[in-house]
Amino acid sequence: MPKLRLDQAPPATLPLRFLLAMPCWGVAGGALLLLDGDTALLTRWHPATLALVHVWTLGVLGNALFGSLLQFLPAAVGADLRGWRGVPALHATFNLGVLLLVAGLHMQARWPLLAAGVALPASFLWLGAMTLPGLAAAVGERLLRTGIGLALGFGMLAAPAGGGLALLLARRIAWPLVAVDVHAGLGVLGWMVLLLATVARVVMPMFQGTGRVPARLQSGWLAAVAIALLAATVVHLRDAGDRTLSLAVAAGGASFALGALWLQRRVPRARHNALFLHWRAGLLALVLAALALAAGQGMVAGALALGIGLPLLVGGMAQEIVPFVGWIALRRRVPRGAQLPGVQRLLPDPSRHRALLAQGVAAPLLVAALLWPTPWLARMAALGQLVAWSVHGHALGRALLAGRAFLRRVGQPA
């Protein structure tokens, strides 16, 4: 297991600006669903649906993964961030791009789509330029670095593909539907699931007390998923309407989720903390999403994976990362000899469990609104999302406020 390099951790503001944007976008998704409850969950191609999907995939999940990488790579992998002083500009470019894309999709407006079609691919390429050289130059943990590099590579393929689709839409040119499927497959399985599965091999034993996946099994899985995804992409582009790509995405997502659930099975009940439960619920949602996708129920699969499963995984991790980043910041500022509060004291378990409970109420409402589409049920689901992400954001903010309160107690400027 890699040793944490606390002295190499980046300034706290770098990952925090992304991680704190995540619940803000979750709230925005709830507001969008409240506004468009009668249409957003009816069909994959409605402008409101496309806008909501990208709030989830880019606003919620994108910010979570960007922020987590910026913290994880220096502290756990020992990889330098090239040009890290540009992170505030990267954050602004990425989130402005998401805002423009969501607005452009929702209103079918040309200029926001044109700007987003440039800003979002540029953000992913910028992240790659910032992280990949350090990954290549780092020493040790080759499997971990390979998995992260693969995920970044797929992200840098998915983003230009999506940018191209945005530019086509801005020019009122009909989308080639196979290209939309390829963009989605590369982004969800190649970028999100591969990255989470790679990092899970480290963080599940560290924070949940699970066993560790054998290196040979992990490397074989990474190779199989990457090759299958690329091959299925080629087949899908060649044979429009072929289901190979959706089955490959379903198989890759299900294998990750089932493998992680298998690792969780031996964790003693006393260690079933909030993070464990976030991941247990999120992984089960991913299994159901894979089954729905394999059965041809794309809308149900999307809601289960993008609206419930993956947000539970990254949301649970954010509740570990944010107080840990805050603790590192305290360690750097507090004079030697002062006893620091533990990470768990910065964000106590009751706050984490409240966030999980709120997500647990919101999730079935979202699925119900999709299966039985009525305006009132969609708006109940929207209220559930608004409350859940507000509670989550409050928990993250509470961790930072606890750190500031400690600084004031020891006579340091907050």
Side-chain angles (χ1 to χ4, degrees), residues 101-380:
L101 180 66
V102 170
L105 289 172
H106 191 269
M107 300 183 297
Q108 297 291 286
R110 181 184 182 192
W111 291 109
L113 287 170
L114 286 173
V118 175
L120 289 170
S123 298
F124 275 85
L125 295 175
W126 192 349
L127 178 67
M130 188 177 290
T131 56
L132 287 174
L135 269 176
V139 177
E141 295 296 333
R142 179 177 296 179
L143 180 56
L144 179 60
R145 292 187 290 120
T146 300
I148 294 173
L150 270 176
L152 282 166
F154 278 116
M156 289 189 290
L157 287 175
L165 291 169
L167 295 177
L168 287 177
L169 186 60
R171 297 181 62 188
R172 302 295 188 265
I173 299 174
W175 278 346
L177 300 187
V178 291
V180 179
D181 294 336
V182 166
H183 164 62
L186 293 173
V188 174
L189 180 59
W191 157 239
M192 297 179 194
V193 174
L194 269 184
L195 183 57
L196 285 169
T198 298
V199 174
R201 186 170 182 263
V202 175
V203 299
M204 288 187 72
M206 187 180 296
F207 295 115
Q208 299 183 41
T210 69
R212 197 178 191 201
V213 179
R216 182 173 296 180
L217 179 59
Q218 179 88 359
S219 59
W221 182 86
L222 284 172
V225 170
I227 292 170
L229 179 56
L230 290 173
T233 296
V234 172
V235 171
H236 193 72
L237 289 173
R238 186 192 64 196
D239 304 324
D242 184 271
R243 297 203 61 228
T244 304
L245 181 58
S246 61
L247 293 175
V249 172
S255 59
F256 159 61
L258 290 170
L261 287 168
W262 180 260
L263 289 174
Q264 283 191 326
R265 80 196 191 285
R266 290 187 176 178
V267 176
R269 182 171 292 274
R271 295 200 64 176
H272 288 192
N273 56 20
L275 176 61
F276 178 97
L277 296 173
H278 267 89
W279 273 58
R280 171 65 60 85
L283 293 167
L284 289 171
L286 285 185
V287 172
L288 294 175
L291 292 173
L293 185 59
Q297 299 297 317
M299 286 285 289
V300 176
L304 285 167
L306 305 177
I308 299 171
L310 292 171
L312 280 168
L313 300 187
V314 300
M317 282 307 304
Q319 291 181 357
E320 295 291 333
I321 297 171
V322 169
F324 183 61
V325 169
W327 182 86
I328 293 175
L330 292 179
R331 181 173 176 265
R332 289 172 172 169
R333 295 181 60 183
V334 173
R336 290 185 180 275
Q339 185 175 1
L340 294 176
V343 173
Q344 294 296 322
R345 285 186 60 191
L346 295 177
L347 184 54
D349 266 346
S351 293
R352 302 172 193 241
H353 282 287
R354 280 194 291 271
L356 177 60
L357 177 61
Q359 293 284 358
V361 172
L365 286 173
L366 181 61
V367 175
L370 190 64
L371 295 177
W372 298 284
T374 56
W376 72 268
L377 195 50
R379 288 182 169 83
M380 288 292 294

Side-chain angles (χ1 to χ4, degrees), residues 7-149:
D7 292 335
Q8 291 181 234
T13 55
L14 299 193
L16 285 180
R17 65 183 68 243
F18 287 98
L19 294 171
L20 296 179
M22 175 187 64
C24 298
W25 279 108
V27 170
L32 200 60
L33 187 55
L34 190 63
L35 176 66
D36 298 310
D38 53 343
T39 55
L41 300 177
L42 294 179
T43 172
R44 175 186 180 187
W45 304 111
H46 194 280
T49 311
L50 293 170
L52 180 61
V53 164
H54 287 87
V55 167
W56 287 340
T57 55
L58 293 172
V60 174
L61 298 170
N63 272 293
L65 296 178
F66 272 49
S68 300
L69 273 177
L70 293 175
Q71 176 65 25
F72 187 81
L73 289 178
V77 184
D80 293 331
L81 299 176
R82 305 295 171 91
W84 61 266
R85 295 184 189 278
V87 167
L90 171 61
H91 173 264
T93 302
F94 177 70
N95 280 281
L96 179 60
V98 179
L99 180 61
L100 289 169
L101 180 66
V102 170
L105 289 172
H106 191 269
M107 300 183 297
Q108 297 291 286
R110 181 184 182 192
W111 291 109
L113 287 170
L114 286 173
V118 175
L120 289 170
S123 298
F124 275 85
L125 295 175
W126 192 349
L127 178 67
M130 188 177 290
T131 56
L132 287 174
L135 269 176
V139 177
E141 295 296 333
R142 179 177 296 179
L143 180 56
L144 179 60
R145 292 187 290 120
T146 300
I148 294 173

